[in-house]
């Protein structure tokens, strides 16, 4: 009987070799497939899209000669405000 039996083979040398191969392949696949899965996850919360969009808007405002951020988000002339009481 093999006291260090891992369940792969009755022969002790083949059992250890098969155990090491299966362990190495399993860990390697978990690391490779896990990293590929994490890399190709969708853009959660659209964070990357929002950053790209903000950079494009900043470049567009720079080209037009405008400040990066305007104090009025909306054009005050186009807002329909209620009459003052």
């Amino acid at each position: 009987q093999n006291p260090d039996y891992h369940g792969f083979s009755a022969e002790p040398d083949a059992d250890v070799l098969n155990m090491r191969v299966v362990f190495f392949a399993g860990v390697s696949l978990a690391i490779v497939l896990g990293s590929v899965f994490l890399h190709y996850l969708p853009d959660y919360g659209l964070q990357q899209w929002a950053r790209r969009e903000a950079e494009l808007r900043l470049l567009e405002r720079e080209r037009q000669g405008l400040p990066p951020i305007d104090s009025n988000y909306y054009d005050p002339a186009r807002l329909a405000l209620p009459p003052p009481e």
Side-chain angles (χ1 to χ4, degrees):
Q1 281 284 343
N2 182 7
D4 296 328
Y5 182 66
H6 300 289
F8 292 101
S9 176
E11 184 181 330
D13 292 334
D15 187 48
V16 169
L17 178 67
N18 288 336
M19 181 266 306
R20 288 179 180 164
V21 167
V22 167
F23 181 75
F24 177 75
V27 170
S28 298
L29 280 175
I31 289 173
V32 170
L33 293 180
S35 12
V36 167
F37 176 76
L38 289 176
H39 180 71
Y40 286 105
L41 277 176
D43 185 12
Y44 181 73
L46 297 176
Q47 294 173 355
Q48 294 173 356
W49 173 85
R51 171 123 187 156
R52 286 191 309 266
E53 185 70 18
E55 289 172 355
L56 288 173
R57 298 257 173 124
L58 280 174
L59 288 174
E60 182 180 330
R61 289 184 69 83
E62 285 176 0
R63 275 191 232 117
Q64 294 174 353
L66 299 171
I69 298 174
D70 193 6
S71 61
N72 295 317
Y73 186 75
Y74 294 105
D75 183 14
R78 296 180 61 195
L79 290 175
L81 298 174
E85 293 185 69

